[in-house]
Each structure stands twice: as C-alpha cells, then as structure tokens.
Amino acid sequence: MSEISKAYNPSEVEDKWYKEWVESGCFKGEADKSREAYSIVIPPPNVTGVLTMGHVLNNTIQDILIRRARQKGKSAIWIPGTDHAGVATQAKVDAYLRKQGKSAKELGREKFMEVAKEWRDKHGGIIIEQLKKLGASCDWSRLVHTLDDDYARGVLTAFVHLFKNGYIYRGKRMVNWCPKGLTALSDEEVIMRPQKSKLYKMKYEIVEKPGQFLEISTTRPETIMGDTAVAVNPNDERYRDLIGKHCWRPFPRAEIVIVGDESVDMEFGTGVLKVTPAHDPVDFEIGQRHGLPVIDVMNPDGTLNELAGPDFAGMDRFKARNAAAKKLEELGLLVAVEDYENNVGYSERGDVPIEPRLSDQWFMRYPKVDEAREVVASGKIKFWPSRWEKTYDHWLEGIRDWCISRQIWWGHRIPVWYRKGVEHPHLDNPEEVHVSVDGPSDPENWVQDEDSLDTWASSWIWPFGVMGWPDKEKEAELNLDYFYPTSDLVTGPDIIFFWVARMIMAGLEFMPGDCARRIPFKNVYFTGIIRDMQGRKMSKSLGNSPDPLDIIARYGADGLRFGVMNCAAQGQDILFDEQRVELGRNFCNKLWNACRFRQMSGDMGDNSSLKAIVNRIDVSKLDADDHAILANLEKCARQIEKDYAGYQFNSITQNIYSFFWNDFCGWYLEVSKARLSDESAKATVLAVQDLCIRQTLLMLHPFTPFISEELWHSLGYGKEGSYIQNECPDFENALGSLGLKIDENAAAEIEKLKDFVSKARALKAQTKMATKRDAKFQFIASDKSSADSVSQNSDKLKKLIGAESIDLIENSLDAPVVLTELGALYIDMSGAVDAKAEIERLEKEKQKFEAFVKSTQARLNNEAFTSKAPANIIEGAKKQLADTQAKLEEIEKLLKTYKA
RNA sequence: GGGCGAUUAGCUCAGUUGGUUAGAGCGUCUGUUUUACACACAGGAUGUCGCAGGUUCGAAUCCUGCAUCGCCCACCA
C-alpha cells in the first residue's frame, strides 16, 4: 500500500507497470490443460509501419479480450507478429537504394535481400514498441515475422502441398499488371475509381464493301494497333450479314475479321466492339472463342513497343492515347470525341491505372471453398456484426482463381526449380520441374523460379503458422494442439477477402481433424474504420491522422483506450475527435481521486481478498444506501457479462462509467461523508467503499490496464508480484456465500431520496438561494414511510442539499414549494417570496402534469389497450396516473394560496 | 447494375427481442475555492427520432416505398 498522489501521472505509472509485467512474464501463454484455452493471433502489422488510430482500436479490443480471459481464469495467449508486406516494403527499399544512387537490379537478388533485411531490421519493429505503449499484453517471447525461417517453411509447405494436389498451376493469362511496380496483382488489389475520360467515336472501313464504314466507340484508342477483330452481337440485325467479313484496322493498316459474339452489348454505343485480346480481359475471352491472334503492343512499364509501329514505340500509354486520336483525325476516321466518365482499375499500391496484361503467372484454385462457406453459414465461425457473413459468402460464391506470383524479390520465393537446358519445362514432369520446400539435391542443375508469393499467400496460414506448423516438434513446443483453433480474431472488414476468408480456407485445408478443429478461429470481430470529423478516412496525404503516441503522451494510454472504446459501437465507423480521449482521461482522473479520497477517509482495512473486505462489514450497520450501491454494482456486473458475450464494448464502458461516476461518486461517496462521522458505522461504510472500488477496478482493468493495476496495489487489493489481470471479477456468489444478502428494494428507496435531493437543490436555485448552506426546509410527507425515510436520512440529506433543518410539518405553507417523490418540500424565505415568480413556475409544472394525466387517462380509457396490454404495463400506468393526479391537486391548492 | 450501412438535442453518437414522460458525452447558459477531483460540483435550456404510408392497444424500434450521404461488389467497350 502506498499513498496516492494528488495528480494522476499516466506516463510514470504506465512505464513502470509495463516494465514489470514483461519482466514478470505474466503475458506468457501457458498450456495449462486444467484450464480453458483462450487464444488470439494479432493481425500482423507491416513491420515497417507505425501505429495508427486503426491499430489503436483494433489492438485495444484484442487486449480487452485477452485480459478479460485471464481474469476469467482462462489460460490465455495473444501471439504477436509482423508482416513483411511485400510490395510496400520493396518499394521503400527501392527508394532507399535510389537515394544512394543504386538500383535493385545492379545489386542482384541475393544482395538486395541482404540490404532489404538490414533496412527492415533498422527501420522495422517500431510498431511493436508502440503497441507496448498502448498496453498490449502480447506474449512477446513468441513474436513472429512472416519472413522468419520457421514461418517461411510453413508458407512454402502450403504451396508445395497445393501444387502436388493440383490446386496451383502456371499459365499465360490475363492479369492485372501494375506498370509502376512491374508486377502482377490479384483482383482484390485493384481498386475501381470513377474517372473523367473521353469516348472516341471512330469508323473502320469494311473491306468487302469499300466506302461503307462501321462506327465504333472506344476509350482506349492507343490499343488500336493490337486490334485483331471487330465484334458484333450475332443477334443484332444491323450487322448480322457482316459477320465473317472484314474491316480495315487504320494503323498499322491491316484487314481484321468481323466476328459475332454474344458478349457484345447491342445497346451500348453503336453495338460494335473493337477487340484487342492482349489488352482487355473481355477481348481476351472473345479472342479465345474465335481463335484470334494476340498482339501485345505494350512494354511492362506501360510504354508502347515496336509492334505498335514506329510512330508509337517507346511512347507512354497516355501520350499514345492522344497521339492515336490525332492520327485517326488525320486519317479522317475520327467521328467524335465525347466527355465520358467510366470506372478505371487502379493499382492500390502504385496508385496508377493497372494494365490488363497477358503474362506467365502462378495461379491458385482455392481449396475448401464450399466448406469455408458452410462453416460461416452454420455459425461454426461467427461474425460480429453478422452482416459481414453475407459479404463473405457472396465473395466466395463468385470466387475466381488467385494470381499468387509477384515480380518482386522481397517475399517468399516460389519453391519451383526448372531443369537447366530444358526449353519448355512441363510442370507435371519431375524430371523437368522440381517443386519442394528444400529444393533439389543437385541445385547446380536447376534454376529457381524468379517470382515470389503474394504477401497474402503467406499470411493466410498465420493462425497455425505462428504455432510451429508444419514441424511436429515445434507444434508441440508451441502448443498448437492446445491453442488452435484460436478463439477470437479482431480485424477490419477491409481485409475480409484478402485475409479472413483465405485464412478460413487455409485452416480447413491444412489442419487435421474434424471441422471444429480445423477452423482457424471461432469468432471474428470486425471493427469499424476510424475517420476524421468530416467522415474522411485517415490518411497520410490528408494529414488528418493523429499520432496515437502523441495522444498517449498528453492523455495517457488508458484515457485513449477508454475514450476510443466508449464511442466504438459494434462495427460502426468512428468519427474520431480528441474530445473522446478527454472523456477517458477525465474518467481516469475521477477514478484516481475517488481512490485518493478513500485513502484520506480512514485507515485502510484488510483489502487482501473479497472475503476479507466482506468480513469487515457489520451487516446490522448497513443502510439503504449500502444495499442500493451493492445492488447497482451487481447490476452493472451482470450487464457487463452480457455485453462481453455480445461484443458490445461501448456498452461496457458506458455501464462502468455510469455506475462509478454517478452511483458511486455522485451519490454513495457523498452520503458516506455524513456517515463517516458516526464511529459505529464508519468501518462498514469504508468496507463497502473498498468493495465497490475493488470490483470497479476489476471491471475496468481490460479497458484501462495501467491505472487499474496501480490503484489495485496502492489500495492493498493485490500482493506484490501478483497482477489484477489474474483476479476474477465475479463477486455475486461470493457475497451470498459470505452471508451478505443485498436488499434489492433499497435501490428504489434511494431513487426517491435522490429525487428529493435534486428537487431541493433546484428549489434553492430557483429561489436564488443556491449558495446558502443553511437553508431551512419544511416537509409534508406523502405517507408514513416517506416521513421515516426523510427523518432517518436527515443528516445525509441536510449535508447534500445544504440545509440547516428539514422540519416535518402537517399543513400547507404559503412558501415556495417543490413536489418530490416523498412529499411536498417548502423552503423558508422568511417572507421574501416572489409570488409572481412562484405562480409562473407552478403554472409551468401544472401544465406538464396535466398533459401527462390527459394522455394516460386516454390510454386507460381505451378498451383496446386495457384488454390487450400486459397487466404490469396497465398497473404501472394506473399508479403513475394516481401519483400525478395527487401532485396536480397539491399544485392547484398552492396556486390558490398565492393568487389569493 | 447488385448488396450493405447511416439518417435521433448545436456537435459526435447510444438506444439488443415494440411498453411509462427518448438518453450520454461534448458544447452552451446560470451559479460554486461545499475539507477527492475545476480533468470538478449543482442547476437550467435544447428533439414533429430523414420523408410518406402500413401493421399494432401502443412504433425511434417491425413492414413497404422514397430521399440524402457513405462503403463494398460488378468485364458495358
């Protein structure tokens, strides 16, 4: 136990405890078979990234879940790690090299990897330290990086397995090509953006009918040189007779065939489509169907090549667009140019339009697609909120093969070797192509494939890859059997396809056993996205993303965590404002000072256990306030239990906030002040306070780990070397078994006293007597129990409302009055009553009551209501009507007195 | 084109099976060095719950349509 300082200093407390936690090893996961396992794997952040508000939200939720699990006695582990982030990191290292006047190419692959690793080790890992600042209780002894040797073996094992089972193939296909990154991309990495462009209308002359033209629209005249046909819909009567005939491609001038293909939309433009099989996915398919030649007129970097002709060779694709239009015009073939808005696919990383390109790539047919749909549809894996299930299922329903090869070096190199000297090696011939994790035994005779894997084709095995798979010994050492499947996954819905769906398929494919053993996780919580106050996504270029570390420095990690969680409704986007964090900081300050006040109020008794605290309570000294606060505490704990089950984190913070601030500090501590002067009750009151604070700290701990740990120890709840994260927050049964029975009705009586106090204060304010601490009140109780309640609580009430006396009287007075739940309360103004103001005030109140009486009577007179509504609703309405009518009578009586 | 969110106080948002007179924080106004906390305390003001229908004794809540904003998916050149 130590004395609590006047001001809460978060950074000091945070650093101290984090250090101790890590040193004590209390975050380490242990496979304790006698306890239920609980595990989370972190969505691995980019190793070279820095902490963003999105990470704060995401990781705070994970930390809450893991700490709560520890409190509930589960054997918990939160496995951390980082992602090598292929394309992103490659780009950063390339830029770094350029600055030094070097290039990746001249270094060569091996040297590049060395430099890149050095660069990663030097600039990477910052985010891990930042997560620690946030309080993340990961098992750091198990930090995994996707390029670690063990993990990489898992990645390659998955590849080899799928290859051997026919899920992986190589082929020349139409892929999304990033001309900036010079690599293929998956469909998911292409983002569609509406763009202002031009629609060029041109005409091609029909070979067999000189002088007759076909009018065609295109947005991409720069690909004309690659046209190998013109297509019309065979059902289109306008053109049906032209099918099989030819037209002139303007440049390079050549005859191209007119084909009929049903994919052509008759309604669009003139219903005639130019077909460029090398540069458009639809055109490619048409080309396949009609056996059209493929002319690739572009270089990988998006410039045109020799096949485009001397006028265009070497020219950038967008310059070539204008040049081609100009050339059409010169030839007299350009009919019109219209402004046009269409969707263009962009490379997410490169931020340039992607180029559909025919190239040799590796593809994966996804395994276990049907089962992946089934496990979510059947609830074996639950999504929170559940609406994402539909999105997930829809994607899987229309799933297409995954292009998994990338033309970059930073990543896992594809474990495929080709026999030297074999011109066209066949994938199914082991003499020509070797596929294995370790490579051929005679490497000198083989050449390894140059490509590396899509980053997501490495992170998709994350849930078991971090647990030693596929090495049996390592699996045992890392307790895969015990911790897999993981319990909860917390991530953003933006990677539902990239990562979540693929992990599910990977788990089902690579893990053994029945379905429940193979799924990678049981629950997926999708967070919202953190936006700025204008609703815009946080981004570096907008400069609207606050630095979480800066916020932690100013408000404390607990304040940040509490503030963010308080406004994060399940799966809803959050418009972030620093005021949220202010709320959290203020709450921490309130907590701090309430505990400080407790210390100042009297000697600390034995707080070492729940039992010890309850033993300090003298049941005969408990009054309604004690019962009420304990009842509220129980209610809060019950609500929280329910909220955890439904992943309603904002509701949890709101319940704790409201209980602690309003019920405990706002009322209980205040009434305690008067009772503490009664020596016979003091020990009991302090014990009740200790009990409430103890349970509050426990409930709060997952959200605000630092301050709760600090206060836990300074108030003597925990022994040195023990931590609040391992203390069970449940207490309901404990109270009962310790012989303490809570009077549930007490809370109702206290509500009336609260009403009495707040009305009395309002009366003082209205009569301009708010500052007087010695006001005199007279009170006409509405019944015997109300009279008892007021006289029994007289000391507390006088202190709370700043009164010298509250006299019980029998008859109405000619003085300002307020009607409370307990009866009529008058304030003595010694004749200085402003009758006009009083009348005005009473009239206003009268109107309010009258409106209520009228509507309630109407309801009760409605036969449909009385015959159909449940009894308790009807009874409630009747009682309220009676109460209100009584008040109304009282007011009318008073009005008469004033008006007289 | 299809799907999914959102629309409640000046601002940002809760409101989980339909049920008394719709809540919170911030902001705002009035007061307060009341011996834990001004990051506080007390009191006040502020809402035809997006619009239009429907179901019901009863709708912010359920149904239908519409509007506005946002997101995701989709090969119309």
Side-chain angles (χ1 to χ4, degrees), chain A residues 89 93 451 513 799:
Chain A
T89 308
V93 177
D451 291 350
K799 202 165 166 68

Side-chain angles (χ1 to χ4, degrees), chain A residues 71 591 595 598 606-614 616 633 659-660 664 687-701 708 711-712 715-718 724 726-731 734:
Chain A
Q71 287 189 315
L591 177 70
C595 291
R598 162 61 191 93
D606 184 355
N607 271 346
S608 62
S609 70
L610 186 55
K611 190 176 172 187
I613 297 172
V614 177
R616 287 160 45 207
L633 177 63
F659 166 75
F660 191 75
F664 186 71
V688 172
Q689 286 186 8
D690 288 349
L691 178 58
C692 290
I693 292 172
R694 180 183 191 273
Q695 297 311 124
T696 301
L697 292 176
L698 284 167
M699 292 190 288
L700 219 37
H701 174 255
S708 55
L711 292 168
W712 182 256
L715 293 175
Y717 295 116
I724 188 173
N726 297 314
E727 302 286 340
C728 180
D730 302 338
F731 77 107

